[in-house]
Amino acid sequence: MDNRAIGMFDSGCGGLTVLKHYTEIMPNENFIYYGDTAHLPYGDKSPEKIMEYCDEIVKFLINKNVKMIVIACGTASANAYEYLKNKYDIEIRNIIMPTAKSIKEENIGVIATQATIKSNAWEKAIHTFSPNTKITSVACPLFVPIIENGLISNEGTPYFIQEYVKKLSIQENKISSIILGCTHYPLLKEKIQIEVGNNVQLIDIGEYSAKNTLEYLNQNNLSNDTNNIGKIELYSSDDFENFKTNAQKMGLSI
């Protein structure tokens, strides 16, 4: 058993959607979450710059004595995971692989940030387990700024969703499921679902990550052995009060 906290980070509030899944299925675990709000969005940054940001965050979390680190960011997972995994001894888990392992369908869509799409990380991961799956990927660079600036309910948001969804060519490509490849995107899930229709499943990668990590903790005897509700420590590199407000809106007890 290990009662230390699980470290988790993202470019901003998107990873809080992942943290929400974690707290629901392992409520007794403690978490230390870092949102790099000073540098968001990561999606328009170079891989080298993303690795630089993530390196500093991992050092911060290790200094907090966490027992493992979850990269709760699609862009960071796609561009910095291998670098971080090879540099540090601590267990580091990315947000992509757990979902990729679950894909069994022939035609699937992926929407993510520009940096993630450029990396081809989803294609590589999915084809490792399901080599015949046809993947249609579309970058949605405006989604993170819309979410981080509180514009989800803005009257113009459905227009941008519609434009990105068009690029997937759902009917032509016979897409039955779409991976929300950025952890911010579940915050737009209802609006995206309206656009794609109820026959298309939207896959929330945070849910698969949480289940996968719970399995890892149990298999390695690392679970928190107390019955108390775990605590969440929240940190950000800029504008902490707004960041904390976003967390509370998601129902997280900070």
Side-chain angles (χ1 to χ4, degrees):
M1 298 297 176
D2 191 334
N3 294 345
R4 292 179 297 163
I6 296 171
M8 189 177 291
F9 72 91
D10 177 50
S11 63
C13 70
L16 295 172
T17 66
V18 181
L19 179 58
K20 180 69 172 174
H21 285 295
Y22 273 69
T23 59
E24 287 172 352
I25 75 166
M26 48 186 99
N28 59 322
E29 292 290 343
N30 300 306
F31 297 93
I32 298 177
Y33 181 100
Y34 189 98
D36 192 13
T37 49
H39 298 123
L40 66 84
Y42 278 7
D44 60 1
K45 306 296 191 300
S46 68
E48 293 76 19
K49 187 59 68 174
I50 294 167
M51 285 188 278
E52 178 185 323
Y53 296 153
C54 294
D55 197 21
E56 292 302 313
I57 297 169
V58 168
K59 289 176 184 176
F60 173 85
L61 292 172
I62 289 175
N63 286 333
K64 290 291 183 180
N65 194 32
V66 296
K67 60 185 175 184
M68 66 180 295
I69 295 173
V70 177
I71 306 176
C73 173
T75 305
S77 291
N79 290 275
Y81 170 66
E82 292 294 333
Y83 166 74
L84 297 171
K85 182 185 70 171
N86 292 328
K87 181 173 181 177
Y88 295 100
D89 291 332
I90 191 170
E91 175 69 17
I92 298 177
R93 304 178 75 77
N94 72 49
I95 198 76
I96 294 174
M97 198 59 69
T99 301
K101 289 179 180 179
S102 73
I103 299 302
K104 300 293 189 293
E105 295 157 74
E106 294 182 359
N107 302 290
I108 196 161
V110 176
I111 56 174
T113 67
Q114 194 167 5
T116 298
I117 299 301
K118 282 183 177 180
S119 74
N120 291 317
W122 278 103
E123 286 82 354
K124 294 173 185 175
I126 291 171
H127 286 154
T128 297
F129 304 100
S130 182
N132 295 322
T133 297
K134 179 184 176 183
I135 304 164
T136 304
S137 300
V138 171
C140 306
L142 292 178
F143 280 179
V144 171
I146 284 171
I147 292 165
E148 289 285 348
N149 287 287
L151 299 175
I152 293 174
S153 299
N154 186 278
E155 61 182 11
T157 297
Y159 168 78
F160 294 112
I161 293 173
Q162 183 183 61
E163 290 301 301
Y164 290 138
V165 168
K166 279 181 185 177
K167 295 180 181 180
L168 285 170
S169 300
I170 291 173
Q171 291 186 342
E172 295 89 332
N173 291 318
K174 299 179 181 179
I175 294 171
S176 57
S177 296
I178 299 172
I179 295 173
L180 304 179
C182 169
T183 56
H184 281 77
Y185 294 2
L187 295 170
L188 288 171
K189 187 174 182 179
E190 290 184 9
K191 293 184 180 297
I192 296 172
Q193 192 73 70
I194 290 170
E195 183 59 36
V196 302
N198 292 328
N199 291 328
V200 178
Q201 178 190 10
L202 298 181
I203 298 174
D204 185 339
I205 59 180
E207 180 180 354
Y208 289 90
S209 174
K211 291 177 180 176
N212 182 263
T213 296
L214 178 61
E215 182 179 345
Y216 172 81
L217 292 176
N218 290 335
Q219 289 176 347
N220 292 277
N221 199 32
L222 291 173
S223 299
N224 191 320
D225 62 356
T226 68
N227 293 320
N228 299 325
I229 298 297
K231 296 180 180 179
I232 299 173
E233 289 184 38
L234 200 65
Y235 297 90
S236 70
S237 52
D238 190 33
D239 197 6
F240 178 76
E241 288 306 317
N242 183 58
F243 184 61
K244 181 179 178 181
T245 298
N246 285 333
Q248 291 170 333
K249 286 180 180 177
M250 293 184 201
L252 293 165
S253 300
I254 307 302

